Amino acid sequence: QVQLVESGGGLVQAGGSLRLSCAASGRTLSTVAMRWFHLGWFRQAPGKEREFAAAVSWSSGTTYYADSVKGRFTISRDKNTVYLQMNSLKPEDTAVYYCAAQARAGNYRYEESYDYWGQGTQVTVSS
């Protein structure tokens, strides 16, 4: 069983940057890499539904972004960790950020297509 763990959240002023990390507990992501189709980041602001932010295809490296973060966020991965580099942060980026992984093919924008989830990490952007 895979358990994902996020880190890197915190407080930052508008215009600042943070880098979130997501790793599999007890092993490296590469251990089961060939069974993963997309790795994604979702976020949930207070009083709002969880929404898609970014995803990357494990095999091809193709990346996908929500319009709200395009040009500011970059998703990437190495053998151990999936990252979300967040630049030019805005107060509306304030949310709990979750990483997720697909063990089977599915639409990267749909949270129900993901099989494994992290516990979330809080990102707060002050104005």
Side-chain angles (χ1 to χ4, degrees), residues 9-27:
L11 302 172
V12 65
Q13 291 185 329
S17 298
L18 286 173
R19 188 178 72 165
L20 306 184
S21 300
C22 176
S25 178
R27 55 181 165 176

PDB file of all heavy atoms in Angstrom, residues 9-27:
ATOM      1  N   GLY A   9       4.693  23.257   2.793  1.00  0.00           N
ATOM      2  CA  GLY A   9       3.730  24.329   2.952  1.00  0.00           C
ATOM      3  C   GLY A   9       4.157  25.303   4.030  1.00  0.00           C
ATOM      4  O   GLY A   9       5.088  25.056   4.795  1.00  0.00           O
ATOM      5  N   GLY A  10       3.470  26.422   4.080  1.00  0.00           N
ATOM      6  CA  GLY A  10       3.783  27.430   5.081  1.00  0.00           C
ATOM      7  C   GLY A  10       3.167  28.759   4.753  1.00  0.00           C
ATOM      8  O   GLY A  10       2.242  28.861   3.942  1.00  0.00           O
ATOM      9  N   LEU A  11       3.684  29.778   5.398  1.00  0.00           N
ATOM     10  CA  LEU A  11       3.219  31.149   5.215  1.00  0.00           C
ATOM     11  C   LEU A  11       4.160  31.896   4.293  1.00  0.00           C
ATOM     12  O   LEU A  11       5.384  31.798   4.425  1.00  0.00           O
ATOM     13  CB  LEU A  11       3.143  31.864   6.562  1.00  0.00           C
ATOM     14  CG  LEU A  11       2.248  31.256   7.634  1.00  0.00           C
ATOM     15  CD1 LEU A  11       2.452  31.978   8.952  1.00  0.00           C
ATOM     16  CD2 LEU A  11       0.790  31.309   7.206  1.00  0.00           C
ATOM     17  N   VAL A  12       3.601  32.657   3.382  1.00  0.00           N
ATOM     18  CA  VAL A  12       4.412  33.432   2.455  1.00  0.00           C
ATOM     19  C   VAL A  12       3.650  34.686   2.048  1.00  0.00           C
ATOM     20  O   VAL A  12       2.417  34.684   2.006  1.00  0.00           O
ATOM     21  CB  VAL A  12       4.789  32.588   1.218  1.00  0.00           C
ATOM     22  CG1 VAL A  12       3.553  32.234   0.405  1.00  0.00           C
ATOM     23  CG2 VAL A  12       5.823  33.295   0.360  1.00  0.00           C
ATOM     24  N   GLN A  13       4.373  35.747   1.774  1.00  0.00           N
ATOM     25  CA  GLN A  13       3.744  36.966   1.293  1.00  0.00           C
ATOM     26  C   GLN A  13       3.402  36.854  -0.182  1.00  0.00           C
ATOM     27  O   GLN A  13       4.023  36.095  -0.933  1.00  0.00           O
ATOM     28  CB  GLN A  13       4.664  38.171   1.509  1.00  0.00           C
ATOM     29  CG  GLN A  13       4.855  38.563   2.963  1.00  0.00           C
ATOM     30  CD  GLN A  13       5.662  39.830   3.111  1.00  0.00           C
ATOM     31  OE1 GLN A  13       6.528  40.133   2.291  1.00  0.00           O
ATOM     32  NE2 GLN A  13       5.386  40.584   4.159  1.00  0.00           N
ATOM     33  N   ALA A  14       2.398  37.605  -0.596  1.00  0.00           N
ATOM     34  CA  ALA A  14       2.038  37.643  -2.008  1.00  0.00           C
ATOM     35  C   ALA A  14       3.257  37.985  -2.850  1.00  0.00           C
ATOM     36  O   ALA A  14       4.042  38.873  -2.505  1.00  0.00           O
ATOM     37  CB  ALA A  14       0.928  38.661  -2.240  1.00  0.00           C
ATOM     38  N   GLY A  15       3.410  37.273  -3.955  1.00  0.00           N
ATOM     39  CA  GLY A  15       4.565  37.436  -4.812  1.00  0.00           C
ATOM     40  C   GLY A  15       5.717  36.511  -4.482  1.00  0.00           C
ATOM     41  O   GLY A  15       6.657  36.392  -5.276  1.00  0.00           O
ATOM     42  N   GLY A  16       5.636  35.842  -3.360  1.00  0.00           N
ATOM     43  CA  GLY A  16       6.686  34.938  -2.947  1.00  0.00           C
ATOM     44  C   GLY A  16       6.548  33.561  -3.559  1.00  0.00           C
ATOM     45  O   GLY A  16       5.675  33.311  -4.386  1.00  0.00           O
ATOM     46  N   SER A  17       7.421  32.661  -3.116  1.00  0.00           N
ATOM     47  CA  SER A  17       7.486  31.322  -3.681  1.00  0.00           C
ATOM     48  C   SER A  17       7.544  30.263  -2.596  1.00  0.00           C
ATOM     49  O   SER A  17       8.042  30.498  -1.494  1.00  0.00           O
ATOM     50  CB  SER A  17       8.724  31.175  -4.573  1.00  0.00           C
ATOM     51  OG  SER A  17       8.690  32.072  -5.665  1.00  0.00           O
ATOM     52  N   LEU A  18       7.034  29.099  -2.925  1.00  0.00           N
ATOM     53  CA  LEU A  18       7.155  27.910  -2.101  1.00  0.00           C
ATOM     54  C   LEU A  18       7.344  26.715  -3.017  1.00  0.00           C
ATOM     55  O   LEU A  18       6.892  26.727  -4.163  1.00  0.00           O
ATOM     56  CB  LEU A  18       5.912  27.679  -1.243  1.00  0.00           C
ATOM     57  CG  LEU A  18       5.668  28.580  -0.035  1.00  0.00           C
ATOM     58  CD1 LEU A  18       4.294  28.288   0.555  1.00  0.00           C
ATOM     59  CD2 LEU A  18       6.744  28.381   1.017  1.00  0.00           C
ATOM     60  N   ARG A  19       7.995  25.690  -2.502  1.00  0.00           N
ATOM     61  CA  ARG A  19       8.095  24.433  -3.222  1.00  0.00           C
ATOM     62  C   ARG A  19       7.532  23.320  -2.361  1.00  0.00           C
ATOM     63  O   ARG A  19       8.034  23.048  -1.271  1.00  0.00           O
ATOM     64  CB  ARG A  19       9.537  24.101  -3.606  1.00  0.00           C
ATOM     65  CG  ARG A  19       9.624  22.878  -4.533  1.00  0.00           C
ATOM     66  CD  ARG A  19      11.031  22.550  -4.965  1.00  0.00           C
ATOM     67  NE  ARG A  19      11.819  21.989  -3.879  1.00  0.00           N
ATOM     68  CZ  ARG A  19      12.975  21.361  -4.039  1.00  0.00           C
ATOM     69  NH1 ARG A  19      13.490  21.234  -5.266  1.00  0.00           N
ATOM     70  NH2 ARG A  19      13.624  20.892  -2.998  1.00  0.00           N
ATOM     71  N   LEU A  20       6.486  22.687  -2.858  1.00  0.00           N
ATOM     72  CA  LEU A  20       5.892  21.553  -2.187  1.00  0.00           C
ATOM     73  C   LEU A  20       6.526  20.263  -2.685  1.00  0.00           C
ATOM     74  O   LEU A  20       6.898  20.148  -3.854  1.00  0.00           O
ATOM     75  CB  LEU A  20       4.382  21.501  -2.436  1.00  0.00           C
ATOM     76  CG  LEU A  20       3.587  22.766  -2.095  1.00  0.00           C
ATOM     77  CD1 LEU A  20       2.100  22.510  -2.312  1.00  0.00           C
ATOM     78  CD2 LEU A  20       3.854  23.216  -0.670  1.00  0.00           C
ATOM     79  N   SER A  21       6.627  19.304  -1.795  1.00  0.00           N
ATOM     80  CA  SER A  21       7.177  18.004  -2.137  1.00  0.00           C
ATOM     81  C   SER A  21       6.194  16.914  -1.748  1.00  0.00           C
ATOM     82  O   SER A  21       5.435  17.061  -0.793  1.00  0.00           O
ATOM     83  CB  SER A  21       8.510  17.770  -1.418  1.00  0.00           C
ATOM     84  OG  SER A  21       9.461  18.750  -1.766  1.00  0.00           O
ATOM     85  N   CYS A  22       6.224  15.833  -2.484  1.00  0.00           N
ATOM     86  CA  CYS A  22       5.365  14.690  -2.215  1.00  0.00           C
ATOM     87  C   CYS A  22       6.181  13.431  -2.408  1.00  0.00           C
ATOM     88  O   CYS A  22       6.762  13.218  -3.473  1.00  0.00           O
ATOM     89  CB  CYS A  22       4.157  14.696  -3.152  1.00  0.00           C
ATOM     90  SG  CYS A  22       3.080  13.247  -2.996  1.00  0.00           S
ATOM     91  N   ALA A  23       6.220  12.593  -1.391  1.00  0.00           N
ATOM     92  CA  ALA A  23       6.984  11.364  -1.456  1.00  0.00           C
ATOM     93  C   ALA A  23       6.175  10.210  -0.903  1.00  0.00           C
ATOM     94  O   ALA A  23       5.282  10.393  -0.074  1.00  0.00           O
ATOM     95  CB  ALA A  23       8.293  11.512  -0.677  1.00  0.00           C
ATOM     96  N   ALA A  24       6.487   9.026  -1.347  1.00  0.00           N
ATOM     97  CA  ALA A  24       5.830   7.829  -0.844  1.00  0.00           C
ATOM     98  C   ALA A  24       6.470   7.415   0.470  1.00  0.00           C
ATOM     99  O   ALA A  24       7.688   7.339   0.582  1.00  0.00           O
ATOM    100  CB  ALA A  24       5.917   6.699  -1.857  1.00  0.00           C
ATOM    101  N   SER A  25       5.639   7.167   1.447  1.00  0.00           N
ATOM    102  CA  SER A  25       6.126   6.730   2.747  1.00  0.00           C
ATOM    103  C   SER A  25       6.658   5.310   2.672  1.00  0.00           C
ATOM    104  O   SER A  25       5.992   4.417   2.156  1.00  0.00           O
ATOM    105  CB  SER A  25       4.998   6.818   3.774  1.00  0.00           C
ATOM    106  OG  SER A  25       5.430   6.367   5.043  1.00  0.00           O
ATOM    107  N   GLY A  26       7.869   5.125   3.190  1.00  0.00           N
ATOM    108  CA  GLY A  26       8.444   3.797   3.266  1.00  0.00           C
ATOM    109  C   GLY A  26       9.205   3.334   2.040  1.00  0.00           C
ATOM    110  O   GLY A  26       9.834   2.289   2.081  1.00  0.00           O
ATOM    111  N   ARG A  27       9.162   4.112   0.982  1.00  0.00           N
ATOM    112  CA  ARG A  27       9.867   3.763  -0.242  1.00  0.00           C
ATOM    113  C   ARG A  27       9.922   4.967  -1.170  1.00  0.00           C
ATOM    114  O   ARG A  27       9.245   5.957  -0.941  1.00  0.00           O
ATOM    115  CB  ARG A  27       9.204   2.591  -0.951  1.00  0.00           C
ATOM    116  CG  ARG A  27       7.729   2.802  -1.248  1.00  0.00           C
ATOM    117  CD  ARG A  27       7.135   1.590  -1.935  1.00  0.00           C
ATOM    118  NE  ARG A  27       5.681   1.620  -1.916  1.00  0.00           N
ATOM    119  CZ  ARG A  27       4.914   0.724  -2.508  1.00  0.00           C
ATOM    120  NH1 ARG A  27       5.463  -0.283  -3.181  1.00  0.00           N
ATOM    121  NH2 ARG A  27       3.597   0.819  -2.431  1.00  0.00           N
TER     122      ARG A  27
END
